[in-house]
Amino acid sequence: MLAKVYSSAVIGLEGVLVEVEVDIAQGLPAFTIVGLGDTAVQESRERVRAAVRNSGYSFPMKRITVNLAPADLRKAGPAYDLPIAIGLLLASEQIQGDASNAVFIGELGLDGAVRHTDGVLPMVAVAHERGIRQVFVPKEDAAEASLINGVRIVPVERLEDLTAHLSGARRLPEYTGAPVHTELVPEYPVDFSVVRGQEHVKRVLEVAAAGGHNVLMTGSPGAGKTLMARALISILPPLTMSEAIEVTKIYSVAGQLPKDTPLIRQRPFCAPHHTTSLAGLVGGGGVRVKPGMVSLAHRGVLFLDELPEFGSKLDVLRQPLEDRVVTLSRAVGSITYPASFMLVAAQNPCVCGWYGDPERPCTCTASAVARYQRRVSGPLLDRFDIFVTVPRVPFEKLNSLQPGEGSTTIRERVIAARQIQERRFRGTRALTNSDMGPAEVHRYCVLDNKSQLVLQSAMRQLDLSARGYHRVLKLARTIADLAGAERITAQHIAEALQYRFHQME
């Protein structure tokens, strides 16, 4: 007998419908799975065998062949356990039912329990796209699956519950959990009001948040670089629903979606350690290629503390920073993950950390300072829009009881500036001023005579590259947006140049 049921695979962030064909024929007992399955798929034979028996059914002692089609697509993970078991029970005529218009997703325990599976959200999404309106998923993944509208989600706790449902003996209820609100209310761990002093750095981060610009902070240990980087999330605009689902897909595929969080409501903040491998940073792996930190930071912030300690690994960021995606090429094909993030980095000025400090002397030699500062390549430094020095905070400001400006107030100004950019770039691929290409810069960053003279003089004195020239104009456009100005003035150019000057020191 032959039975066919549907499941799904995940390639990158997109689901692909997989047809699970189970054929039971006369012959020596054998259980074969074909269709380019990885080790986890091949091990499915033992899980399915035990789950079927422990659910009260008999395992056919015949020649069993399972084909996962399309056969030229590599399959990975244990998500095919449940559809294989259902197909086997249908083919052996131990259960009767119609499974032609449903997708089955789930790993099986040896006792027949249906367990969590990574990547449920894109799997349900492809079912919806292909016109399939019923999906059976593990019970703990039902809330995540319900984010796709127009699909009936049926939570499954045990294999025997599903077989009873298909046979009509006992119906499984559809998931009817509380709907996800369109108004996402994030919770921020750090508010700018707790940051004492550093008013000019706060202004820099406000400009960066308004235009999506990359920032490099340089300062002595304990100056507050990490604290302010973590507070940056609190002044970014909240995720829209489409952005939230996009980010949730990434975390679902990576297996990092918290059990109690079916939808990512807050912009990601990823801070990898400098010992992180290349695969951990940009993504990779064996058969199961997974997103790295640059993708997990999509629509949020990637914070690199102790930037020079990352070494040559940093050069892999150059392509994602330009293209806003990361492409992983393997012998079997290429996978592309989104990687549109703000890069925020922090570094000490030297090995001991006190070079240039007015109170504590530096113990490094001049050559040691130069070697330390050369650890970050020039091409990567050129990808930063803003360079800012973070000084030591004096005692008077640290001891002050007067709170600083709160994140809510700053966020309102950032949102207003982002709304201006949204209207400006409507119908294009750009979202913020940092996304502008040369054509958009020439169109939206028109300078008057005074502004041109200021920028021309700065280019000669600071030896700005063509990329640096465009970054100054983008920064000036963001500063003008924050001020609600239609045109860029010399004052906006002057402030933007301050944020590029550190690179030339």
Side-chain angles (χ1 to χ4, degrees), residues 162-482:
L162 179 55
T163 57
H165 173 88
L166 294 175
S167 301
R170 184 174 67 254
R171 303 296 294 178
L172 286 174
E174 294 180 18
Y175 178 78
T176 56
V180 178
H181 297 290
T182 54
E183 288 293 330
L184 305 179
V185 183
E187 296 180 359
Y188 303 111
V190 182
D191 192 279
F192 263 109
S193 61
V194 305
V195 180
R196 297 292 186 262
Q198 307 292 16
E199 280 76 13
H200 76 290
V201 183
K202 294 179 185 178
R203 168 63 178 177
V204 164
L205 294 179
E206 179 181 341
V207 172
H213 302 288
N214 302 325
V215 184
L216 174 59
M217 297 184 286
T218 304
S220 303
K225 302 185 294 296
T226 301
L227 179 66
M228 286 186 286
R230 294 188 179 278
L232 177 60
I233 290 293
S234 67
I235 64 172
L236 290 173
L239 286 171
T240 64
M241 180 57 74
S242 61
E243 287 177 332
I245 291 179
E246 189 178 11
V247 173
T248 302
K249 276 188 178 182
I250 299 174
Y251 277 75
S252 176
V253 171
Q256 297 194 26
L257 190 64
K259 291 184 179 180
D260 58 345
T261 309
L263 180 68
I264 300 294
R265 298 173 178 269
Q266 182 173 303
R267 291 190 181 270
F269 180 87
C270 297
H273 192 260
H274 60 78
T275 59
T276 301
S277 65
L278 283 174
L281 196 59
V282 298
V287 176
R288 299 195 68 187
V289 179
K290 290 194 173 184
M293 283 290 185
V294 297
S295 297
L296 293 172
H298 182 61
R299 302 298 183 195
V301 173
L302 178 67
F303 177 55
L304 303 181
D305 202 4
E306 305 295 343
L307 184 68
E309 301 299 332
F310 282 83
S312 60
K313 291 195 294 283
L314 291 174
D315 288 334
V316 301
L317 296 179
R318 288 158 61 179
Q319 181 256 338
L321 285 171
E322 291 295 325
D323 301 337
R324 300 298 185 179
V325 296
V326 57
T327 301
L328 306 174
S329 298
R330 298 292 185 269
V332 296
S334 297
I335 293 177
T336 299
Y337 290 116
S340 181
F341 55 88
M342 281 181 61
L343 177 61
V344 179
Q347 65 177 7
N348 295 330
C350 64
V351 177
C352 76
W354 303 106
Y355 178 74
D357 189 89
E359 299 182 17
R360 186 164 176 174
C362 174
T363 59
C364 303
T365 62
S367 59
V369 173
R371 282 196 304 272
Y372 183 79
Q373 295 179 349
R374 283 198 301 267
R375 290 185 185 179
V376 183
S377 67
L380 182 68
L381 284 175
D382 212 25
R383 264 70 177 182
F384 285 99
D385 301 331
I386 298 176
F387 300 84
V388 60
T389 300
V390 184
R392 181 202 297 261
V393 183
F395 171 80
E396 292 76 13
K397 290 189 176 181
L398 282 175
N399 197 46
S400 173
L401 298 179
Q402 182 68 28
E405 187 177 27
S407 293
T408 302
T409 304
I410 302 174
R411 186 168 63 249
E412 290 174 355
R413 296 196 295 265
V414 169
I415 291 174
R418 288 282 186 110
Q419 289 173 344
I420 293 173
Q421 295 165 55
E422 181 183 356
R423 292 192 294 269
R424 176 182 300 139
F425 301 126
R426 187 168 295 160
T428 69
R429 296 179 62 183
L431 296 176
T432 61
N433 289 330
S434 64
D435 298 328
M436 286 192 292
E440 289 84 6
V441 170
H442 288 303
R443 180 178 179 182
Y444 299 116
C445 301
V446 179
L447 304 180
D448 56 25
N449 291 334
K450 187 175 181 181
S451 301
Q452 290 182 24
L453 290 175
V454 172
L455 186 54
Q456 183 180 16
S457 175
M459 284 197 68
R460 286 198 300 264
Q461 295 180 27
L462 303 179
D463 192 25
L464 283 175
S465 65
R467 181 183 282 120
Y469 165 80
H470 285 107
R471 293 197 185 280
V472 169
L473 289 177
K474 292 178 187 179
L475 280 171
R477 181 67 268 171
T478 300
I479 295 167
D481 290 343
L482 279 170

Side-chain angles (χ1 to χ4, degrees), residues 14-15 120-130 135 145 148 151 249:
E14 301 302 323
V120 165
L121 188 58
M123 292 180 183
V124 177
V126 73
H128 180 268
E129 293 170 5
R130 297 292 294 271
V135 181
I148 304 299
V151 180
K249 276 188 178 182

Side-chain angles (χ1 to χ4, degrees), residues 105-117:
I105 303 166
E107 175 187 347
L108 285 176
L110 299 184
D111 61 349
V114 182
R115 295 175 174 171
H116 159 76
T117 300

